[in-house]
């Protein structure tokens, strides 16, 4: 369908990116519930949450394809198209890491996460949820900036990016503590490998949030 001429100037890819960010946030919430289900041994619903994550990831993929495939060459974008795509790739990588973590958990249901590490993994997941929630807020504030280009609004976005960076650092600290505890408490080498890799995969969720923040920082740079 041919788009009206005026839509070339009105269409904003950030609407789709906002929609994608909301899916990413929902996905991490489902991941949090899946991990809680796994740890508390209510695994009848673990698969349910895993399927929910798969469904949300599929919906996010559809949004991503829509953004990439329906961006006319003549659109008057507020940012470089390739910067936009790099941002979207980092935001989407959050979903890949969430799926990787769930897959990794499912490979070894028994004995699962040892009891002495349960609280540590709960804390690690909590620390990666907060920067993902900030991502959605950052995109929302960036949309406002690209409408008015005010210094005040630009600073709002920059402050959120700084917050995400700090939260990623906090997540790294918790991840390191979990790995240290694994090596000092667990004797079985297979369990050590499983738990260390799980901690790193969960930690990478926050890494992608920070990378997305860096991409946004480049887009609002003058």
């Amino acid at each position: 369908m041919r788009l009206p001429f005026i839509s070339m100037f009105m269409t904003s890819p950030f609407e789709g990116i906002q929609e994608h960010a909301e899916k990413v946030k929902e996905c991490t919430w489902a991941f949090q519930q899946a991990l809680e289900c796994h740890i508390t041994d209510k695994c009848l619903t673990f698969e349910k949450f895993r399927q929910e994550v798969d469904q949300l990831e599929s919906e996010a993929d559809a949004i991503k394809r829509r953004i990439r495939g329906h961006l006319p060459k003549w659109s008057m974008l507020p940012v470089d198209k390739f910067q936009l795509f790099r941002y979207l790739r980092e935001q989407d990588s959050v979903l890949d890491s969430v799926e990787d973590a769930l897959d990794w958990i499912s490979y070894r249901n028994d004995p699962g996460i040892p009891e002495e590490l349960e609280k540590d993994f709960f804390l690690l997941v909590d620390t990666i949820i907060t920067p993902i929630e900030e991502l959605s807020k950052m995109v929302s504030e960036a949309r406002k900036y690209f409408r008015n280009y005010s210094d005040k609004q630009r600073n709002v976005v920059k402050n959120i990016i700084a917050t995400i960076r700090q939260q990623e650092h906090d997540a790294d600290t918790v991840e390191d503590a979990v790995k240290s505890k694994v090596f000092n408490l667990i004797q079985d080498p297979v369990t050590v490998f499983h738990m260390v890799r799980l901690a790193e995969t969960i930690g990478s969720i926050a890494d992608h949030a920070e990378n997305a923040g860096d991409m946004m920082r480049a887009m609002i740079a003058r």
Side-chain angles (χ1 to χ4, degrees):
M1 181 177 68
R2 185 181 295 277
L3 295 173
F5 177 75
I6 190 65
S7 69
M8 292 191 295
F9 301 93
M10 296 176 65
T11 303
S12 168
F14 282 92
E15 292 176 15
I17 287 178
Q18 178 80 68
E19 192 179 349
H20 185 273
E22 293 299 323
K23 291 294 177 188
V24 169
K25 186 168 65 175
E26 288 180 54
C27 197
T28 51
W29 285 344
F31 168 67
Q32 188 177 34
Q33 291 175 297
L35 191 79
E36 182 179 348
C37 166
H38 177 77
I39 288 178
T40 56
D41 204 22
K42 297 176 184 174
C43 286
L44 288 177
T45 54
F46 176 79
E47 276 303 316
K48 170 179 166 282
F49 287 122
R50 192 177 174 192
Q51 289 170 11
E52 185 178 337
V53 166
D54 287 344
Q55 177 61 33
L56 289 166
E57 199 273 342
S58 176
E59 292 170 5
D61 266 354
I63 296 169
K64 183 177 65 178
R65 287 194 299 271
R66 194 180 71 214
I67 295 170
R68 289 175 172 170
H70 294 82
L71 198 62
K73 293 178 181 177
W74 50 83
S75 283
M76 296 184 66
L77 293 175
V79 297
D80 179 85
K81 183 188 293 187
F82 294 103
Q83 282 185 323
L84 190 76
F85 287 165
R86 287 175 66 191
Y87 173 84
L88 185 58
R89 185 178 61 189
E90 281 302 329
Q91 188 168 273
D92 196 64
S93 293
V94 170
L95 299 173
D96 295 334
S97 290
V98 167
E99 284 196 313
D100 288 346
L102 286 180
D103 287 344
W104 190 250
I105 289 170
S106 70
Y107 294 155
R108 197 167 187 249
N109 279 329
D110 189 17
I113 295 175
E115 187 176 349
E116 55 267 49
L117 295 172
E118 290 178 356
K119 289 182 180 177
D120 303 275
F121 274 97
F122 277 135
L123 178 60
L124 179 58
V125 171
D126 285 347
T127 59
I128 61 95
I129 293 292
T130 46
I132 303 305
E133 290 174 339
E134 288 293 316
L135 269 188
S136 175
K137 185 178 169 185
M138 177 185 70
V139 174
S140 176
E141 295 299 332
R143 289 176 66 189
K144 295 176 189 173
Y145 168 71
F146 288 118
R147 283 197 291 266
N148 59 34
Y149 290 93
S150 78
D151 286 338
K152 181 180 178 183
Q153 188 59 32
R154 183 167 176 267
N155 286 333
V156 170
V157 180
K158 287 172 65 179
N159 287 337
I160 296 173
I161 294 169
T163 300
I164 292 173
R165 190 172 296 138
Q166 179 59 50
Q167 290 169 337
E168 191 278 335
H169 176 74
D170 295 342
D172 273 351
T173 302
V174 175
E175 179 191 327
D176 289 344
V178 171
K179 289 192 287 188
S180 176
K181 194 168 181 179
V182 169
F183 281 118
N184 285 289
L185 283 183
I186 308 299
Q187 301 297 318
D188 173 52
V190 176
T191 303
V192 168
F193 176 64
H194 193 231
M195 291 299 100
V196 168
R197 175 79 178 272
L198 178 60
E200 290 175 343
T201 306
I202 294 173
S204 71
I205 295 171
D207 294 341
H208 291 302
E210 183 187 34
N211 292 342
D214 289 341
M215 292 296 104
M216 183 62 77
R217 183 71 178 80
M219 286 194 285
I220 65 170
R222 291 176 177 170

